[in-house]
Amino acid sequence: SYVLTQPPSVSVAPGKTARITCGGNNIGSKSVHWYQQKPGQAPVLVIYYDSDRPSGIPERFSGSNSGNTATLTISRVEAGDEADYYCQVWDSSSDQVFGGGTKLTVL
Amino acid sequence: QVQLQESGPGLVKPSQTLSLTCTVSGGSISSGSYYWSWIRQPAGKGLEWIGRIYTSGSTNYNPSLKSRVTISVDTSKNQFSLKLSSVTAADTAVYYCARGLAAGLYFDYWGQGTLVTVSS
């Protein structure tokens, strides 16, 4: 089965840049999608196809993917960005797979 | 704007079958560009994909749940449904329905989620 590994938590001060990683075997060959989930709410798509942003998602959110690591980058972090973030891919053996999630704390 | 809404019992007894329905509004469930999925999340834990259905009726399931899961679609009602059999306490979770993009296999719209508790 295909496993996606995320750090349990990331902390960042307001106005700084947060980077959340998603590790997987040769993940660079796959399309990675990212979701933001605030407490008590459904997940929201923030990045698809590694680096594309849906309409309504601020340009502060960006993504990259290479080798064995995909990265979600949030620039100029705001208090409202505090949430859990999940990466997701499709794999031929496991089908749709989510990472374990990363809790972003804004200090 | 597409909206999805889950409905069904919030309490299911162990060994019984969990049944949920997702009603889609603001768009047709019959569009071939999309598929329709169920995803769950135990309290304090991560997301787990359960399965998906295309409007053709074709289905794919999470290998770890495949023996217990059935997803069906009713295009006349713009609904799709989940049945999970032989449930245990480990199946207690918030269950989400979501729309997926067939080309990219990611989810662009989600329901608000519904809590299902398995307990006697």
Side-chain angles (χ1 to χ4, degrees), chain A residues 87-106:
Chain A
C87 57
Q88 178 250 311
V89 302
W90 179 85
D91 174 76
S92 59
S93 61
S94 303
D95 211 309
Q96 297 196 256
V97 181
F98 288 97
T102 298
K103 181 177 179 59
L104 176 67
T105 299
V106 181

Side-chain angles (χ1 to χ4, degrees), chain B:
Chain B
Q1 179 82 344
V2 173
Q3 293 185 312
L4 297 89
Q5 178 67 58
E6 305 88 351
S7 60
L11 181 63
V12 181
K13 288 180 167 39
S15 80
Q16 294 191 342
T17 296
L18 178 160
S19 296
L20 294 174
T21 295
C22 181
T23 300
V24 180
S25 58
S28 172
I29 201 171
S30 297
S31 170
S33 301
Y34 307 107
Y35 62 89
W36 308 91
S37 265
W38 289 97
I39 298 148
R40 70 181 182 179
Q41 184 174 37
K45 297 189 177 182
L47 301 167
E48 180 180 33
W49 175 72
I50 298 171
R52 66 173 169 269
I53 189 165
Y54 295 85
T55 50
S56 63
S58 174
T59 55
N60 301 98
Y61 300 130
N62 185 323
S64 68
L65 298 169
K66 187 175 183 178
S67 63
R68 300 195 291 131
V69 174
T70 302
I71 297 176
S72 59
V73 64
D74 186 338
T75 55
S76 67
K77 294 182 179 179
N78 234 33
Q79 295 176 335
F80 64 106
S81 298
L82 168 70
K83 291 189 185 301
L84 181 65
S85 64
S86 304
V87 297
T88 69
D91 295 309
T92 295
V94 173
Y95 284 75
Y96 295 99
C97 58
R99 187 180 84 167
L101 278 291
L105 291 169
Y106 60 91
F107 307 104
D108 62 348
Y109 286 99
W110 296 64
Q112 66 185 25
T114 187
L115 174 63
V116 178
T117 301
V118 178
S119 175
S120 55

Side-chain angles (χ1 to χ4, degrees), chain A residues 1-4 23-33 48-51 64-67 69-70 88-95 97, chain B residues 104:
Chain A
S1 64
Y2 193 79
V3 176
L4 294 174
N25 184 32
N26 198 26
I27 196 173
S29 67
K30 303 180 184 299
S31 292
V32 180
H33 318 294
Y48 63 102
Y49 286 143
D50 297 343
S51 59
S64 62
N65 183 20
S66 179
T69 305
Q88 178 250 311
V89 302
W90 179 85
D91 174 76
S92 59
S93 61
S94 303
D95 211 309
V97 181

Side-chain angles (χ1 to χ4, degrees), chain A residues 2-90:
Chain A
Y2 193 79
V3 176
L4 294 174
T5 301
Q6 297 183 238
S9 63
V10 168
S11 298
V12 63
K16 299 299 186 182
T17 297
R19 293 180 179 84
I20 299 172
T21 59
C22 176
N25 184 32
N26 198 26
I27 196 173
S29 67
K30 303 180 184 299
S31 292
V32 180
H33 318 294
W34 291 91
Y35 304 88
Q36 175 195 68
Q37 185 181 34
K38 296 183 178 179
Q41 298 183 19
V44 172
L45 179 70
V46 293
I47 292 288
Y48 63 102
Y49 286 143
D50 297 343
S51 59
D52 290 343
R53 277 179 292 103
S55 60
I57 300 301
E59 292 183 6
R60 301 184 297 104
F61 288 79
S62 62
S64 62
N65 183 20
S66 179
N68 292 318
T69 305
T71 303
L72 172 68
T73 301
I74 310 172
S75 304
R76 302 180 300 283
V77 167
E78 303 173 356
D81 298 330
E82 190 162 282
D84 294 328
Y85 291 85
Y86 294 89
C87 57
Q88 178 250 311
V89 302
W90 179 85

